[in-house]
Amino acid sequence: MYILSIDQGTTGTTAVLVDAKSLQIVGKVNEEYPQIYPHPGWVEHNLEDIWNTVKNTVTKVLAVNKVSTDLIKTIGITNQRETTCAFTKDGEPLANAIVWQDRRTHDFCKDLVSKGHSEEFKKKTGLPLDPYFSGTKINWLLNNNENVMKAHEANNLLFGTIDTYLLYKLTGNISHKTDATNASRTLLMNLETNEWDASLLNILDINQDTLPTICNSIDDFGLTKNLTFLPDGISINGILGDQQSALFGQACFNKGEGKCTYGTGAFMLVNTGSEIKYSDNGLLTTVAFRHNNQTTYALEGSCYIAGACVQWLRDNLQFFESSPEIEALALKVDDLSKVRDLLLLPFFTGLGSPHWIADAKAALVGITRDTGKEEISRVALEGICFSINDLIKAMRKDMGSDLDIFKVDGGAVSNDLLMQIQSEISKIPIVRPTVIETTAYGAALAAAIGANLITMDSIRTIWKEDKKFISSNDNTNSNYFSYKEQQWDSYINKLFK
């Protein structure tokens, strides 16, 4: 028997097969799809493109591994969060999805702040009023998209994040649900009740009837129905937003345990147990997971751009053909004095935690005539690490203690240089697990628990360390990174002015 995990990410979809007995990943297939940029600062995805990648990757991973569809015991879903979908009750998309990176509601958020709504939203949802989150995207669609407005008038409109859309399609347009982790990213869910909040819905002028039912992260979400690529009757038992799924896959079940996922963006979560802990340092309060109607919370720091910076070098500047090549290119910089005054600040879609500067722009500063691909590649990796270091510093302040260990995951963590730079900058051990696809793996494990294949306690014994990265304590390195951190902080301070 097998567990099928559908990992619907920002740039592509990955279908992963996990052996239900050994809990080992036996196969995975990824397929990318186009990014749509209608205007500067706007980012969209075509929902048909996304659905096609789900069908294609599931079909291919089964075929490549010679696994019959009747051997799938349960399905787990994990997804890019905050990305907002509008569709009819027949499952037909009404508009392109508005992606989490999209900044079109910046002025609307500023208007809500000026009207004094910030404190209510932060208290109830743990989130700042920022275009990042789903609620203002829903409001924009209701007021600016003709198809959505007509469907609303005809009582034929459903909203949801990507998990909701996929679940609805997988169940033959029956199950309109979401889980608490995804709902906690909408600006609409009350953290204490884990329900949609009537006051917040009223402020954003959203009808609750258009929203999905909020469930546990491990639950009976529905059964597959009327699909061309899977048989009817497969249970869907686990749904987690991608970052919470990675936390789950890293077995961070206890208060104080945390991880950072290096994907399109970079996201750091630390488990705060049953406590709704508010940040004094620019982090988010969110749901880590919900099981047996008990909610576990987390503090989160979000960098909008991590791997996407490497993609930019690959696709826009054509520095290399595949993203992993950046490591070899960056390693050609053997004299760090050449890049001492060179910084790449990867704020392509604004600046998230802990600074929250929505209109920040990316910058490459300190260029000289001898600056080339190697130097820019090196400082791109540093820029990613400095962004994450800001999260680590904020987390230390909020938690009142240092981080003993820093678990990492995501595709970019296979880059040893990136991990070593992170350790040097942040001065903490970086631990990479044997399974770095913990986003997909976490959803599979949640589904396995929901299908009564395993218990949560057994997950701890599954997690294994692959490699640990420790700062060298070399004075030359230490002085170099201290100097660059001062430059980094100075630049960000200028943004606040």
Side-chain angles (χ1 to χ4, degrees):
M1 301 298 289
Y2 295 87
I3 304 158
L4 173 63
S5 180
I6 299 170
D7 179 0
Q8 205 302 292
T10 308
T11 58
T13 300
T14 306
V16 177
L17 274 179
V18 176
D19 186 286
K21 188 174 181 179
S22 68
L23 297 177
Q24 298 295 308
I25 293 177
V26 296
K28 64 174 183 174
V29 171
N30 174 268
E31 183 176 318
E32 293 190 356
Y33 56 89
Q35 307 294 299
I36 302 166
Y37 307 105
H39 302 286
W42 291 28
V43 190
E44 296 179 355
H45 291 156
N46 183 303
L47 286 172
E48 292 289 358
D49 287 345
I50 287 177
W51 181 239
N52 285 333
T53 63
V54 171
K55 291 191 290 187
N56 294 344
T57 55
V58 170
T59 300
K60 190 170 182 180
V61 78
L62 292 170
V64 168
N65 293 281
K66 298 181 173 58
V67 171
S68 172
T69 55
D70 59 5
L71 292 177
I72 299 174
K73 175 68 176 175
T74 182
I75 296 173
I77 298 172
T78 183
N79 56 287
Q80 51 167 315
R81 304 168 305 168
E82 299 95 19
T83 296
T84 303
C85 314
F87 49 98
T88 68
K89 293 178 179 179
D90 290 330
E92 295 300 316
L94 290 162
N96 283 340
I98 302 180
V99 179
W100 58 273
Q101 298 166 319
D102 190 282
R103 314 306 290 166
R104 75 184 67 184
T105 64
H106 173 58
D107 290 341
F108 180 52
C109 288
K110 286 178 67 176
D111 184 55
L112 291 172
V113 170
S114 70
K115 291 176 179 176
H117 292 303
S118 293
E119 192 55 37
E120 182 179 4
F121 275 93
K122 182 172 182 182
K123 175 66 176 172
K124 289 181 173 179
T125 71
L127 309 173
L129 280 164
D130 187 86
Y132 179 20
F133 307 106
S134 310
T136 60
K137 301 180 195 298
I138 292 174
N139 176 278
W140 189 93
L141 286 165
L142 285 165
N143 288 287
N144 293 277
N145 187 284
E146 191 172 336
N147 291 338
V148 171
M149 289 188 280
K150 287 179 179 178
H152 196 205
E153 291 172 6
N155 192 30
N156 190 29
L157 171 64
L158 297 176
F159 285 115
T161 39
I162 291 289
D163 60 303
T164 298
Y165 174 70
L166 295 187
L167 178 67
Y168 198 70
K169 297 285 283 185
L170 287 166
T171 58
N173 305 333
I174 292 175
S175 186
H176 186 224
K177 298 177 180 179
T178 189
D179 93 297
T181 67
N182 280 291
S184 73
R185 313 297 296 185
T186 60
L187 281 173
L188 304 174
M189 191 195 86
N190 188 304
L191 285 174
E192 291 186 2
T193 65
N194 279 227
E195 299 290 346
W196 303 122
D197 188 279
S199 174
L200 303 182
L201 292 174
N202 183 57
I203 292 169
L204 294 178
D205 198 23
I206 296 170
N207 184 344
Q208 185 171 327
D209 291 343
T210 63
L211 299 177
T213 302
I214 302 172
C215 303
N216 291 323
S217 307
I218 298 165
D219 217 321
D220 294 321
F221 288 98
L223 303 172
T224 54
K225 187 175 182 181
N226 296 337
L227 301 172
T228 58
F229 59 102
L230 288 173
D232 290 358
I234 302 174
S235 63
I236 299 159
N237 293 111
I239 294 180
L240 290 153
D242 52 9
Q243 303 313 317
Q244 287 91 337
S245 189
L247 187 78
F248 203 85
Q250 289 267 38
C252 296
F253 301 141
N254 291 334
K255 185 174 181 178
E257 296 179 338
K259 65 88 210 180
C260 186
T261 299
Y262 294 66
T264 301
F267 301 87
M268 179 179 179
L269 272 77
V270 172
N271 185 322
T272 62
S274 59
E275 179 186 4
I276 301 174
K277 187 173 180 62
Y278 293 97
S279 174
D280 296 320
N281 297 283
L283 303 180
L284 310 177
T285 306
T286 195
V287 172
F289 55 88
R290 184 169 170 83
H291 180 42
N292 290 334
N293 296 321
Q294 299 295 312
T295 306
T296 298
Y297 298 93
L299 278 174
E300 175 176 333
S302 310
C303 296
Y304 299 146
I305 298 292
C309 180
V310 179
Q311 275 188 320
W312 176 72
L313 295 179
R314 182 193 70 187
D315 299 339
N316 293 54
L317 302 189
Q318 298 182 344
F319 277 14
F320 32 77
E321 291 186 0
S322 64
S323 294
E325 293 176 49
I326 189 172
E327 182 174 11
L329 201 58
L331 281 168
K332 291 182 179 179
V333 180
D334 52 10
D335 180 4
L336 293 183
S337 66
K338 291 181 65 177
V339 291
R340 180 176 167 83
D341 293 302
L342 185 65
L343 279 178
L344 197 162
L345 301 112
F347 311 145
F348 293 92
T349 53
L351 185 54
S353 314
H355 308 291
W356 298 107
I357 307 173
D359 55 353
K361 300 292 190 293
L364 180 62
V365 295
I367 303 172
T368 58
R369 283 289 300 270
D370 62 347
T371 301
K373 292 180 181 180
E374 294 88 351
E375 290 77 19
I376 294 172
S377 295
R378 163 78 196 201
V379 297
L381 298 182
E382 292 180 358
I384 294 167
C385 293
F386 277 118
S387 293
I388 293 164
N389 188 52
D390 284 350
L391 305 182
I392 293 171
K393 290 193 290 187
M395 197 72 74
R396 282 172 174 148
K397 292 176 184 176
D398 278 335
M399 297 299 287
S401 62
D402 208 343
L403 300 171
D404 295 331
I405 197 166
F406 191 61
K407 290 183 177 180
V408 296
D409 55 73
V413 304
S414 59
N415 184 324
D416 283 3
L417 177 60
L418 179 69
M419 295 296 96
Q420 188 60 44
I421 291 172
Q422 189 71 71
S423 181
E424 299 286 356
I425 290 172
S426 302
K427 297 179 176 61
I428 52 174
I430 306 293
V431 179
R432 183 171 66 200
T434 53
V435 177
I436 64 171
E437 300 94 349
T438 49
T439 302
Y441 196 52
L445 295 175
I449 295 168
N452 297 313
L453 298 175
I454 59 171
T455 64
M456 281 187 68
D457 287 340
S458 63
I459 295 176
R460 297 183 187 281
T461 63
I462 298 165
W463 187 92
K464 295 287 188 295
E465 178 183 316
D466 169 47
K467 188 172 181 178
K468 183 180 287 186
F469 299 85
I470 300 172
S471 59
S472 62
N473 293 319
D474 175 82
N475 282 338
T476 304
N477 261 358
S478 181
N479 291 337
Y480 169 80
F481 285 115
S482 293
Y483 175 76
K484 297 207 78 167
E485 187 173 357
Q486 290 172 15
Q487 288 183 303
W488 178 272
D489 291 342
S490 174
Y491 188 88
I492 288 176
N493 288 335
K494 289 176 184 175
L495 288 179
F496 280 107
K497 296 176 183 178

